[in-house]
């Protein structure tokens, strides 16, 4: 069979291939893990690929899933075949329209990569909570358990829905199936054509709304007929399971793959059966095979069609001997006495028993796999064991350690199935950007498509964006692979570590099988490699008798002129020493793959990659472990080091951080018991500082003599990894020898005051933004600045670097310097404000991120009084993704309190915070007035009428509140106690509503707009990257004309929405458009003005992003170019000026001096259009110029309103 | 009737005016207007090796491998595979120019490395180029690199390309060679059919605000024709290579001077960029007028008539001329110095 018939693809692509063929309108909105289905469709459409009827489907990205559902409803009503892809909250946003679509008996398939619905926390991972929330919509629910099934069921759903007029929600497990790469048998186009019945399609079209034969749909009904109408649809639902089975059978006739509504696998006389749906059923299937081979009477029932539920078919599928059933649900319904599938199975058997058709078996309900929690054969075995108990747990959980309510079943982690033992496993540790994942996907394709072997790949990603770790889990084997779980400990015959630094952070060899192969990319020689490893890994290599191979892949890459791209080199090593394919065959295949990838883009890249592949083998060496010197005292794994922190961070972290946060960081979260978790999703702040990720290869080094102390480096640092502090000279008396400090140049401080700019070497990402921003050159050598990057990593091993050790000590000393008086520094200047401590530090944002400096700035200025509502997106991921958070506190414990509600409601969420703060303040003020006699009239008066716009006023109020609390202490008056609990609300809160352009311009715009129309004092910060950054670069309404983004492959055809103008038009909103890299003083001023304004404030902040396609080290230059070219005018609109100066508009940037073409040509997002659509690119550039000119002129006119006319 | 025809690189041309490698060829309309104005051939804008490499790097980093290892995004820009490379666009444009113009089209390659040229040359040949201009942009800044080895680099590049394609090749040279005639002799042996004198490099400039180096290319001035006149005059009759004069031609005056010195064709760019394609027709008309007034009948007749070989005082184009020019900067006789 050729590879085109057995492609190796992931679940999303497998489903999307069918959905694309069978539909005409595809309305989508990106959401993880479903995004790539829409992206595939967009890609195929942009290539003009036809659907079954020879047309190119219309793909449209909407402003939200609610919008997509509305568009779908319309398209379906008007006669098109339409589809969409979604997940989780996105699916929930579609629910109102799902009811409508089903209520109107509309054939339609919605493909869902099922994902956890956010509760106490958001999770992008998989479970069925989203799908289960749709049970009432009237949609049919069809569960696929593997990549093959996601492909097959996509078609079967389409055929059945057309036949029976019931819309179908076809779902498969998010990440586990949506992102698993597997070899499948592709359904041929002709088969798809045959499965889609023309008459059914014609009938759908005939029902379309048409002025040629008009009808009325969507009526409003009264009590007289609504109920009957709902019941009128019953026959369709009654018939539907039969139609689905017909579609299954038809499909089986065409492809040989037979499915049933409920597929039973196992002993025909099974006494114990597990019932479940989704990918977990594959794992149970594998385990059942193992157990039945040992004559155990067990089986598994895979639920395919969950709604409409066919109890008779369910019962018929379960052997009559079955005495005990465990129904496993991948969701939780709090407060219920069982989850939905369990209740349905229980009900089916109860009725059958009541009718005397069947003896009532014992039925247990178990929860497993929430948010992609591992579900392994060991756990399956534990369930079967439980079913054999005389008194099993009626309700249980799997895969966790529940020491609180004791619901969890213990399991044997070492249990392995025969199938698993027959497979070959490989694990690869890579850095996010080093191409490990893409190389592995490629290897799987090579093996899957060039050999008869089956192949599976699953990729575990990091929650960090800079220095992310990826772990690739690969399996190969002759039999179909059903293992829907990670490669277990001691299973992998091949382990590769593509980054030396991971050897110090992780136990990279725990999955290595005794006698297996370990490949390490290291600068160490074969002679020194073993000694360069931490003790635990050396021990594992020896104990497990691993064959240890090394290569200096970065050297090979450099020699082959490949820069730092090591993916093909490491891939070549894998094939060379794993023995999965004959070496020559593998190398030819890798070269072919390179040609396929780069062929159209660059022959030179093909040539360089080929050269690298050819050079690889000469640099690949096996380490003679037996001959290696006896283990020297090496570096212990940093998993332990980070917990006890040897570098001056609190050596005794608070208990929670020690017991929970740090184990999470060390990758041991799965082992934490239920009792260790906060019950309500509340976590401590100030935890990012414990990570010490050490990912920079170079860090900035300060030249104190040259520095003018301007503070720009601190301002631009995306990770708050360079800090400034002033302090009295004697504070540095015990400073480490290498700690640098010089007299402060500013006259604002007493004579003798010292200043230091200090780098956090293990928190810096090495982006170089600070060096770029540094304006000071050595007069005799322009390449030497007041900050210069210096190599941090020696011998590819961070711990070897003296600079690192030295700066670690210096940073520790720096942090312990006495805090300066915040009143003594000028908040309104850059050098002054940059002396304020950041309360946002060391986030996992991308190196060079253009968003984080804005957040850090806000925390420096207002952090101790901030309440932050954060929209879902990049800023919520680097802001609040466990294990740690970058939000932190001053020494007094005050700092930003942060929360994320949803993507779509952030403005409203923040408004609610404001209302609460104001309401409680009002309440407290009333009590103060009421109790004025007890607490003192002067204090009461001051508390109520305190001027709190500025920081000094807030500090004074805090003093008053402290006094108030003292005076209230001991009071027995009930109202006094009430006031004591409310007293803190007397201190003004600064409410910040933060999110990206996807939120502000699109999905959350309705709410944002509404909040802007209200008078409440909220500060809205829009981090405008002009694209959906977090989900991978989809178009937003902030995307500028001519920019290429996902869903705008031909360049965004319309201008960016002018949010600034829209907001300013209200007249009462403070608005600023800022770009710190172009004019930091204007940014600073805007933040201070926005916060001090009593009504709503909106800051639209230009935020360079990796999605713009240039090295973010130059993000300052690009911001400058954006402003100079007129792409991003800087403005401030301050309603307060209306009264004083007469014109609230201020234009802070000069007339464009640079053609916008120059700006656009310097960023890939624009430049790539010149390659793909050169004429369109030209047109858009001209259009962009005229938009920029027009906008500048209109802003200029606004800024000049009221100015006296000249020349008359 | 004046016979303006000439021949360059073995191509028969109706007159000696050929727009040189510049953005003028990027638009079909402009190219057609140039042809209408009387251009005898067209040298296309250059395909820059560095641009091809930068494009590849950009594609590699931001399209093919833009993942950062984050679970929510496997990449940040859409890679729809069908995107054409700069080379594809160049080839397409070449084919389009060929299909619409009746004059010869000369493709231009600009680069410095030693590999990859033959493949590119073949593709240009296949796309219909009538000839190739090879513009080697090499700044010999390495102190370990002798003048001889610099020249060897040019020769080896040319001979590699010559071995791979059947098209006539012109080498565009810089004036910075210690012995230009010697190099040209080597190029002739290696298979060149012509040389174009001289290319005008982008020059780095210093931005006094940012203290950064910035690239800069100013349009030529008529003064620059003088350097070309000298070298064309020296080379005419001493090499079998056809000679193109490039740089500083703004009116018929420079054109005539270069033809008299011995150029087979005269390239034009700055004047066309400044005044539009129609300028070429004006220069042609002025040339004809100048020739008619002096009763020349053909370009062939006057070409090289003032080359060094044909001058009564051959030294005039070498050092003696230098002294005379310096004298001409002396004060007027009546001025007390």
């Amino acid at each position: 069979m050729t590879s085109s018939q057995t492609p190796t693809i992931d679940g999303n692509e497998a489903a999307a291939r069918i959905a694309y063929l069978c539909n005409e309108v595809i309305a989508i909105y990106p959401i993880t893990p479903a995004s790539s289905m829409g992206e595939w469709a967009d890609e195929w459409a942009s290539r003009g690929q036809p659907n079954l009827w020879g047309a190119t489907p219309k793909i449209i990205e909407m402003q939200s899933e609610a919008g997509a559902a509305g568009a779908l409803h319309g398209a379906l009503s008007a006669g098109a075949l339409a589809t969409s892809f979604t997940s989780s909250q996105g699916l929930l946003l579609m629910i109102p329209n799902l009811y409508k679509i089903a209520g109107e008996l509309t054939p339609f398939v919605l493909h869902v990569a099922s994902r956890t619905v956010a509760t106490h926390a958001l999770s992008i991972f998989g479970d069925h909570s989203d799908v289960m929330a749709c049970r009432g919509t009237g949609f049919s629910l069809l569960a696929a358990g593997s990549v093959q099934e996601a492909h097959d069921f996509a078609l079967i759903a389409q055929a059945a829905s057309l036949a029976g007029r019931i819309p179908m929600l076809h779902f498969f497990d998010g990440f586990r199936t949506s992102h698993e790469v597997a070899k499948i048998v592709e359904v041929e186009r002709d088969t798809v054509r045959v499965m889609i019945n023309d008459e059914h399609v014609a009938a759908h079209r005939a029902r379309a709304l048409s002025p040629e034969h008009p009808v009325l749909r969507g009526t409003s009904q009264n009590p007289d007929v609504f109920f009957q109408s709902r019941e009128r649809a019953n026959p369709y639902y009654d018939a539907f399971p039969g139609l689905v089975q017909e579609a299954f059978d038809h499909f089986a006739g065409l492809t040989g793959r037979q499915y049933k509504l409920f597929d039973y696998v196992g002993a025909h006389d099974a006494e114990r059966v597990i019932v479940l749906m989704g990918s977990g059923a594959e794992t149970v299937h594998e385990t059942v095979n193992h157990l039945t081979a040992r004559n155990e009477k067990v089986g598994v029932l895979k639920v395919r069609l969950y709604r409409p539920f066919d109890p008779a078919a369910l019962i018929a599928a379960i052997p009559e001997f079955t005495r005990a059933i465990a129904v496993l649900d991948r969701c939780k319904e709090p407060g219920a006495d069982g989850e939905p599938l369990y209740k349905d199975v229980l009900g089916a058997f109860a009725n059958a028993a009541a009718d005397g058709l069947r003896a009532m078996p014992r039925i247990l309900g178990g929860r497993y796999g929430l948010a992609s929690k591992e579900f392994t054969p060991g756990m399956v075995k534990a369930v079967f064991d439980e079913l054999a108990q005389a008194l099993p747990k009626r309700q249980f959980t799997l895969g966790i350690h529940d020491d609180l309510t004791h619901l969890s079943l213990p399991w044997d982690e070492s249990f392995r199935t025969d199938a698993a033992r027959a497979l070959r496993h490989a694990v690869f540790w890579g850095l996010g950007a080093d191409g490990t994942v893409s190389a592995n996907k490629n290897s799987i394709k090579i093996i899957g498509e060039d050999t008869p072997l089956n192949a599976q790949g699953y990729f575990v990603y990091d929650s960090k964006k800079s220095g992310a770790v990826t772990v690739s889990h690969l399996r190969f084997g002759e039999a179909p692979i059903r293992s829907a779980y990670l490669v277990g400990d001691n299973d992998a015959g091949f382990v590769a570590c593509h980054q030396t630094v991971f050897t110090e952070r992780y136990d990279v060899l725990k999955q290595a099988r005794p006698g297996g192969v370990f490949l390490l990319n290291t600068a160490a020689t074969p002679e020194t490699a073993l000694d360069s490893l931490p003790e635990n890994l050396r021990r594992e290599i020896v104990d497990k008798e691993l064959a240890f191979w090394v290569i200096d892949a970065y050297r090979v890459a450099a020699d082959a002129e490949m820069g730092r791209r090591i993916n093909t080199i490491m891939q070549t090593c894998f094939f060379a020493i794993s023995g999965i394919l004959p070496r020559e065959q593998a190398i030819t295949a890798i070269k072919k793959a390179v040609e396929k990838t780069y062929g159209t883009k660059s022959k030179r890249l093909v040539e360089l990659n080929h050269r690298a592949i050819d050079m690889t083998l000469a640099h690949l060496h096996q380490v003679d472990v037996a001959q290696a010197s006896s283990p020297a005292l090496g570096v212990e794994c940093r998993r332990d080091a980070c917990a006890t922190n040897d570098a001056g961070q609190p050596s005794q972290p608070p208990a929670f951080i020690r017991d929970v946060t740090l184990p999470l960081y060390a990758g041991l979260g799965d082992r934490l018991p239920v009792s260790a978790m906060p019950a309500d999703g509340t976590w401590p702040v100030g935890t990012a500082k414990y990570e010490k990720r050490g990912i920079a290869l170079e860090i900035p080094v300060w030249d104190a003599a040259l520095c003018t102390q301007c503070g720009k480096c601190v301002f631009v640092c995306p990770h708050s990894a360079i800090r400034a502090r002033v302090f009295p000279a004697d504070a540095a008396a015990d400073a480490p020898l290498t700690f640098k400090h010089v007299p402060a140049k500013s006259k604002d401080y007493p004579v003798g005051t010292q200043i230091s700019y200090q780098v956090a070497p293990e928190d810096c990402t090495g982006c170089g933004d600070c060096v770029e921003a540094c304006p000071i050159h050595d007069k005799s050598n322009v390449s030497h600045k007041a900050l210069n990057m210096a190599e941090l990593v020696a011998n590819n091993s961070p711990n070897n670097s003296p600079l690192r050790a030295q700066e670690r000590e210096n940073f520790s000393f720096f942090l312990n310097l006495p805090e300066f008086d915040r009143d003594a520094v000028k908040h309104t200047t850059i050098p002054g404000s940059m002396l304020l401590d950041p309360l946002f530090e060391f986030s996992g944002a991308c190196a060079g991120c253009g968003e984080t400096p804005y957040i850090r700035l806000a925390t420096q200025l207002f952090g101790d009084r901030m309440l932050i509502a954060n929209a879902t997106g990049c800023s919520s991921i680097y802001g609040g993704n466990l294990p740690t958070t970058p939000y932190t506190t001053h020494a007094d414990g005050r700092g930003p309190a942060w929360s994320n509600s949803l993507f779509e409601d952030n403005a409203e969420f923040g408004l609610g915070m404001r209302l609460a703060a104001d309401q409680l303040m009002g309440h407290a003020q009333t009590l103060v007035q009421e109790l004025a006699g007890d607490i003192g009239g002067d204090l009461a008066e001051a508390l109520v009428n305190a001027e709190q716009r500025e920081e000094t006023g807030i500090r004074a109020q805090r003093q008053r509140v402290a006094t108030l609390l003292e005076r209230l202490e001991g009071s027995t008056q009930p109202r006094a106690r009430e006031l004591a609990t409310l007293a803190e609300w007397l201190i003004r809160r600064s409410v910040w509503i933060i999110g990206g352009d996807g939120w502000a311009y699109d999905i959350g715009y309705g709410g944002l707009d509404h909040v802007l129309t209200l008078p409440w004092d909220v500060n809205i910060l829009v981090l405008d990257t002009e694209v959906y950054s977090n989900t991978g670069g989809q178009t937003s309404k902030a995307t500028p004309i001519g920019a290429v983004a996902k869903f705008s492959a031909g360049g965004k055809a319309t201008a960016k929405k002018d949010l600034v103008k829209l907001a300013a038009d209200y007249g009462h909103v403070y608005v600023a458009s800022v770009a710190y890299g172009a004019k930091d003083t204007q940014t600073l001023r805007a933040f201070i003005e926005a916060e001090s304004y009593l009504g709503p404030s909106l800051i639209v902040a230009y935020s360079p992003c990796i999605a713009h396609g240039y090295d973010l080290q130059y993000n300052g230059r690009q911001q400058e170019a954006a402003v100079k070219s007129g792409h991003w005018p800087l403005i401030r609109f301050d309603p307060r000026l209306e009264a004083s100066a007469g014109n609230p508009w201020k234009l802070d940037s000069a007339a464009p001096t640079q053609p916008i073409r120059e700006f656009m040509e310097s960023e890939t997002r624009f430049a790539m259009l010149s390659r793909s659509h050169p004429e369109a690119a030209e047109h858009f550039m001209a259009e962009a110029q005229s938009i920029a000119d027009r906008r500048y002129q209109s802003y200029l006119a606004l800024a000049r309103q009221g100015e006296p006319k000249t020349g008359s | 009737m004046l016979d303006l025809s000439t021949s360059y690189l073995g191509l028969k041309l109706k007159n000696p005016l050929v727009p040189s490698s510049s953005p003028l060829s990027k638009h079909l309309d402009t190219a057609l207007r140039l042809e209408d104005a009387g251009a005898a051939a067209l040298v296309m804008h250059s395909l820059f090796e560095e641009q091809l490499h930068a494009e590849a790097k950009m594609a590699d980093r931001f399209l093919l491998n833009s993942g950062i290892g984050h679970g929510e995004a496997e990449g940040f820009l859409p890679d729809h595979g069908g995107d054409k490379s700069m080379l594809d666009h160049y080839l397409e444009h070449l084919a389009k120019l060929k299909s619409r113009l009746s004059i010869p089209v000369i493709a231009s390659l600009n680069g410095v490395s030693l590999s990859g040229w033959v493949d590119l040359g073949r593709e240009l040949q296949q796309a219909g180029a009538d000839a190739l201009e090879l513009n080697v942009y090499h700044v010999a800044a390495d102190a370990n690199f002798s003048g001889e080895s610099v020249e060897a680099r040019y020769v080896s590049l040319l001979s590699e390309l010559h071995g791979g394609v059947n098209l006539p090749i012109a080498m565009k040279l810089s004036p910075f060679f210690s012995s230009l005639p010697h190099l040209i002799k080597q190029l002739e042996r290696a298979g060149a059919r012509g040389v174009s004198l001289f290319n005008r490099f982008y020059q780095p400039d210093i931005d006094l605000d940012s203290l950064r180096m910035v690239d800069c290319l100013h349009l030529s001035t008529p003064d620059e024709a003088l350097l070309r006149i000298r070298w064309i005059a020296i080379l005419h009759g001493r090499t079998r290579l056809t000679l193109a004069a490039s740089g500083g031609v703004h009116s018929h005056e420079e054109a005539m001077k270069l033809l008299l010195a011995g150029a087979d064709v005269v390239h034009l760019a700055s004047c066309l960029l400044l005044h539009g394609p129609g300028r070429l027709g004006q220069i042609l008309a002025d040339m004809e007028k100048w020739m008619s007034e002096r009763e020349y009948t053909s370009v062939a007749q006057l070409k090289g008539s003032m080359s060094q070989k044909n001058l009564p005082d051959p030294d005039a184009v070498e050092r003696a001329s230098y002294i005379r020019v310096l004298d001409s900067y002396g004060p007027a006789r009546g001025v007390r110095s």
Side-chain angles (χ1 to χ4, degrees), chain A residues 375-411:
Chain A
F375 179 59
T376 63
M379 297 171 198
V380 177
K381 173 78 164 47
V383 176
F384 282 124
D385 290 347
E386 189 69 12
L387 284 171
Q389 298 291 320
L391 282 172
K393 282 185 175 167
R394 178 84 67 206
Q395 295 290 324
F396 61 85
T397 54
L398 280 170
I400 55 172
H401 306 285
D402 180 1
D403 58 340
L404 190 71
T405 48
H406 307 288
L407 287 171
S408 59
L409 299 184
W411 73 97

Side-chain angles (χ1 to χ4, degrees), chain A residues 109 125 291 324 347 375 411 505 520 558 631 660 675 716 751 779 793 813 830 861 928 942 996 1002 1042 1076 1117 1150 1152:
Chain A
V109 181
F125 294 100
L291 296 172
F375 179 59
W411 73 97
R505 276 167 44 188
L520 177 66
V660 180
S675 66
V716 302
V751 176
K779 292 278 183 293
V793 175
F813 176 79
I830 300 293
L861 296 168
V928 166
D1002 286 352
Y1076 70 89
R1117 281 190 203 182

Side-chain angles (χ1 to χ4, degrees), chain A residues 1098-1113:
Chain A
L1098 174 74
I1099 301 174
V1100 187
Y1102 187 63
S1103 305
C1105 172
I1106 182 92
H1108 295 182
Y1110 63 85
D1111 189 337
L1112 285 177
Q1113 180 182 351

Side-chain angles (χ1 to χ4, degrees), chain A residues 32 46-47 603-604 1171, chain B residues 53 55 72 80 89 123:
Chain A
T32 309
S46 72
R47 291 181 187 178
K603 289 193 176 139
R604 183 175 160 80
R1171 317 275 176 272
Chain B
H53 289 180
E55 180 190 44
E72 304 210 46
H80 288 181
H89 284 298
E123 295 196 60

Side-chain angles (χ1 to χ4, degrees), chain A residues 342-496:
Chain A
Y342 164 73
K343 299 301 279 283
D344 288 326
V345 174
L346 191 65
F349 272 97
N351 287 330
D355 294 345
L357 301 173
R358 186 80 183 239
M360 186 71 194
R362 185 191 292 276
I363 301 181
L364 318 180
R367 286 186 293 278
Y368 75 105
L370 265 60
S372 291
K373 176 68 80 185
E374 275 287 273
F375 179 59
T376 63
M379 297 171 198
V380 177
K381 173 78 164 47
V383 176
F384 282 124
D385 290 347
E386 189 69 12
L387 284 171
Q389 298 291 320
L391 282 172
K393 282 185 175 167
R394 178 84 67 206
Q395 295 290 324
F396 61 85
T397 54
L398 280 170
I400 55 172
H401 306 285
D402 180 1
D403 58 340
L404 190 71
T405 48
H406 307 288
L407 287 171
S408 59
L409 299 184
W411 73 97
D412 176 4
E413 288 185 26
S414 64
F415 178 81
R416 295 289 182 274
T417 62
D418 295 335
R421 290 189 195 285
L423 290 169
R424 305 180 71 164
H425 303 77
V427 170
F428 302 78
W429 294 75
L431 192 66
D434 71 3
T436 298
V437 169
S438 61
N440 284 325
K441 284 187 175 171
N442 203 251
S443 298
I444 298 165
K445 265 189 191 295
I446 287 172
I447 294 164
E449 298 183 358
D450 291 0
T451 77
L453 291 177
N454 282 292
Q456 179 204 57
Y458 187 76
F459 308 93
V460 177
Y461 295 98
D462 206 330
S463 54
K464 300 281 186 281
K465 294 176 187 233
S466 51
V469 184
T470 61
V471 188
S472 308
H473 296 251
L474 272 56
R475 287 187 172 98
F476 310 102
E478 279 158 25
I481 301 168
R482 301 188 185 281
S483 314
Y485 51 91
L486 301 177
V487 171
D489 292 357
N490 303 313
D491 282 349
F494 185 92
V495 172

